[in-house]
Amino acid sequence: SRYLAFTNFGWPHASSVAMARLAFGVFPTYPDLKVLTHHAGGMIPFFHKRVELSWDFNRTLMGYRNDVAKLAEPPPDYYRRFYCDTAIQGNPKALECAHEFFGPDRMVFATDAPYDSRMGELLYTETVAAIEGMNISAAEKESIFEGNARNLFCLP
C-alpha cells in the first residue's frame, strides 16, 4: 500500500474489526471459545476506554441496540476474552498496555518472523528485548515466553 499504510496500520485495524465481530457476534453464544489474536490485540488495548464510552453514549443518547447482540457484560469484557500475541516488533510500553488490558495469563510469545530485513532475526531479538523490558515480574515474563502458550494449547 502507499507509504506502507496497510502494512503498518491496516493489519492491526483489520484484526480489531474481526475482534469486534467475534466479541459481540460469537462470544455471547460461545463464551468459552478461545481465540488468539495477532499484534497484541490490535487497537483494542489502546482504545478500550473509547469502546466503553462509545457504547454508553450510543446506547444512552443515540438509540443503539447492540446490533442485536445480547450482552450480559460491559463491552470491554468481551474483548478481554481474547488471547493476544507479542508480534508488534518490540515496544515494551505497547506490550504493557496489552498485558494490562488482557491480563497476565492471556499474552503469548510471537513474532512476525521472517518478515524483516534479516529473515526474522531482527523481529525475534526485538520482541525478546521488549518482553524483557516490560515492567512486570519475572514470572509473568516466563508465562509470556512459555507458560501461557502451554496452558492455552493444553501442552505439558
Side-chain angles (χ1 to χ4, degrees), residues 41-59:
M43 299 166 58
I44 305 303
F46 187 74
F47 283 105
H48 77 275
K49 196 65 176 176
R50 178 179 174 83
V51 169
E52 179 183 333
L53 296 178
S54 174
W55 277 69
D56 178 60
F57 168 77
N58 282 286
R59 283 190 292 198

Side-chain angles (χ1 to χ4, degrees), residues 130-146:
I131 294 167
E132 292 293 349
M134 291 172 68
N135 188 23
I136 59 174
S137 71
E140 288 174 312
K141 291 174 187 177
E142 183 57 33
S143 291
I144 292 169
F145 282 124
E146 180 179 355

